[in-house]
Amino acid sequence: MSQWDQSEVQSVSADITDKSNALPAEYFTDPDVFEMEKEKVFGQYWIYAGHSNCISEPGEFFTRTVGGRQLIIVRDHDGDVKAFDNVCAHRGSKMVEDTPMTDPGNAKRIKCPYHLWTYDLDGNLQSTPKSFEEATLNPDLEDEEVHEFDSKENGLNDVHVDTIGPFIFVNLDDDPMPLEEQAGSMKEDLEALPLSEYEHARRIVSEVECNWKVFSSNYSECDHCQANHQDWVKGLQLAESELEVNDYHWILHYTHKEDVDDEMRIHDEHEAQFYYFWPNFTVNMYGTADGYGTYIIDPIDKGRFQLIADYYFKDADLSEEDEEFIRTSRQLQEEDFELVERQWQGLKTGALAQAQLGPNEHTVHRFHQLAQEAYNS
């Protein structure tokens, strides 16, 4: 049964591993939990940073904030993707301005505007101004006593980077698990598809009033679909659909009632496919157009997140099927926004201490388990 928040009873189970127990409500509403997640969730797992096709040339870069730290994602002169904290090694200044993946910058070097320390695209300190080589204004120090700044020891702080196809992931941990271990079979699945052949076509960013985990939980199940996504489910055979759960990802397979032309679909299966990759990244293939979408479920604070939806197609001039893909995706988003904001209003009251999950919400349960494991790590 659901456990209501009554002060005279024990309202939350000792752990959430029992089949029907959801993550206790306080883990959605407590601001201290959100602060903890910066380290425990976004600080130790692989987080999607962006699409490599958007920085195809050496020197192209964008910024991405993960766990409260802004990173510079850049392609170096050898063609490799690197990631660095957007923090100068001199006195900690932010160096480059906020730069979205959809409008990348381009620089031969990374220069801090504060004191003009300059770094190469491998993060090594390349040069400092003359004022750091001569003690002109310091009467207590001779020029020959000025120490040199080692290029590597005073370089930018680098962050682990790896890829799945064209998808760039970063990890803030000093010694992370391999990306292939966290991704499991999803890596092989996605790399078997020609994802790199598709170019970014559109980005839609929405700010939603709820905790990021509320939306992630909603995305991970379809018990709500029949009542709330009626236009979309008309073309599906929900009874023949499947929710597949793996260690750090799950796949929602939705079967179409009618076959779809193979030339209009990136993958071969007679279905729509939605991948959720812990903690906050999705890949969406609706099966009705030759393209795919991604979501970043990007937390702002305990009660707000940004949904960053990106769409990829082979041709920049979108076909009617491509536009319909985006319209369908947007309609589902807006319908879900209404649902999750309503749930958030209820959770914030504190009336429910811990919810219960149904038998087809095992994907949600896995998401909640991973959150609990992160908190306990």
Side-chain angles (χ1 to χ4, degrees), residues 209-277:
E209 297 288 332
C210 78
N211 183 269
W212 70 278
K213 298 186 296 298
V214 174
F215 184 86
S216 295
S217 300
N218 176 83
Y219 178 96
S220 297
E221 52 89 2
C222 205
D223 275 5
H224 70 278
C225 293
Q226 193 71 54
N228 296 282
H229 299 313
Q230 294 181 13
D231 288 342
W232 183 56
V233 300
K234 287 177 183 177
L236 302 178
Q237 293 177 318
L238 288 180
E240 296 183 11
S241 299
E242 177 190 358
L243 308 184
E244 173 190 341
V245 181
N246 296 276
D247 288 345
Y248 294 98
H249 78 277
W250 35 98
I251 312 168
L252 286 64
H253 304 264
Y254 296 124
T255 303
H256 292 288
K257 288 182 179 178
E258 298 180 2
D259 199 4
V260 180
D261 187 345
D262 284 341
E263 294 181 358
M264 291 173 51
R265 185 172 54 211
I266 190 173
H267 58 96
D268 295 331
E269 289 79 0
H270 178 62
E271 61 184 19
Q273 293 181 356
F274 299 87
Y275 286 80
Y276 193 104
F277 185 48

Side-chain angles (χ1 to χ4, degrees), residues 4 8 36 41 60-61 65 78 95 104 128 171 183 193 210 213 215 219 236 250 259 278 288 298 312 340:
W4 300 100
E8 65 271 16
M36 175 180 64
V41 175
E60 290 187 322
F61 70 90
T65 299
D78 294 327
M95 294 184 298
T128 58
N171 195 306
L193 300 174
C210 78
K213 298 186 296 298
F215 184 86
Y219 178 96
L236 302 178
W250 35 98
D259 199 4
W278 166 263
T288 54
D298 210 21
Y312 300 86
V340 297

Side-chain angles (χ1 to χ4, degrees), residues 26-28 30-38 213 375:
E26 65 182 306
Y27 289 96
F28 296 90
D30 188 338
D32 291 338
V33 171
F34 174 75
E35 291 302 316
M36 175 180 64
E37 288 174 342
K38 291 179 181 179
K213 298 186 296 298
Y375 302 153

Side-chain angles (χ1 to χ4, degrees), residues 51-266:
H51 200 286
S52 63
N53 285 2
C54 293
I55 50 170
S56 58
E57 298 297 326
E60 290 187 322
F61 70 90
F62 61 89
T63 59
R64 173 85 165 89
T65 299
V66 175
R69 288 164 56 178
Q70 189 175 71
L71 308 177
I72 303 171
I73 316 296
V74 61
R75 191 173 293 278
D76 69 13
H77 291 300
D78 294 327
D80 298 323
V81 176
K82 302 289 181 66
F84 308 101
D85 279 292
N86 188 14
V87 176
C88 182
H90 171 218
R91 281 168 58 186
S93 176
K94 175 179 176 178
M95 294 184 298
V96 305
E97 297 301 317
D98 298 355
T99 306
M101 180 192 80
T102 50
D103 187 19
N106 196 315
K108 294 180 180 179
R109 294 172 297 277
I110 301 170
K111 180 182 290 186
C112 179
Y114 193 9
H115 293 90
L116 305 183
W117 279 36
T118 303
Y119 305 86
D120 63 26
L121 299 184
D122 291 319
N124 298 318
L125 180 63
Q126 190 173 61
S127 66
T128 58
K130 192 173 184 179
S131 59
F132 287 85
E133 301 169 4
E134 300 176 355
T136 308
L137 301 178
N138 187 345
D140 298 324
L141 192 66
E142 299 295 331
D143 286 351
E144 57 269 19
E145 296 176 317
V146 175
H147 73 274
E148 294 183 8
F149 293 97
D150 182 88
S151 63
K152 291 189 179 296
E153 289 184 0
N154 292 279
L156 300 179
N157 186 53
D158 62 324
V159 172
H160 294 281
V161 177
D162 204 347
T163 58
I164 297 176
F167 300 140
I168 304 168
F169 293 86
V170 295
N171 195 306
L172 303 181
D173 196 46
D174 290 335
D175 186 24
M177 76 170 84
L179 174 58
E180 62 182 10
E181 179 180 336
Q182 184 178 324
S185 60
M186 188 185 84
K187 177 177 171 64
E188 182 178 347
D189 290 349
L190 294 181
E191 290 187 341
L193 300 174
L195 301 176
S196 297
E197 298 176 9
Y198 293 71
E199 298 295 328
H200 187 270
R202 192 168 300 172
R203 166 170 281 192
I204 301 174
V205 180
S206 306
E207 184 173 310
V208 186
E209 297 288 332
C210 78
N211 183 269
W212 70 278
K213 298 186 296 298
V214 174
F215 184 86
S216 295
S217 300
N218 176 83
Y219 178 96
S220 297
E221 52 89 2
C222 205
D223 275 5
H224 70 278
C225 293
Q226 193 71 54
N228 296 282
H229 299 313
Q230 294 181 13
D231 288 342
W232 183 56
V233 300
K234 287 177 183 177
L236 302 178
Q237 293 177 318
L238 288 180
E240 296 183 11
S241 299
E242 177 190 358
L243 308 184
E244 173 190 341
V245 181
N246 296 276
D247 288 345
Y248 294 98
H249 78 277
W250 35 98
I251 312 168
L252 286 64
H253 304 264
Y254 296 124
T255 303
H256 292 288
K257 288 182 179 178
E258 298 180 2
D259 199 4
V260 180
D261 187 345
D262 284 341
E263 294 181 358
M264 291 173 51
R265 185 172 54 211
I266 190 173

Side-chain angles (χ1 to χ4, degrees), residues 273-309:
Q273 293 181 356
F274 299 87
Y275 286 80
Y276 193 104
F277 185 48
W278 166 263
N280 67 329
F281 177 60
T282 80
V283 182
N284 313 310
M285 292 173 280
Y286 288 91
T288 54
D290 188 16
Y292 61 92
T294 64
Y295 292 169
I296 303 172
I297 304 163
D298 210 21
I300 300 171
D301 54 37
K302 74 174 177 64
R304 292 179 302 155
F305 76 93
Q306 278 190 333
L307 185 71
I308 304 172

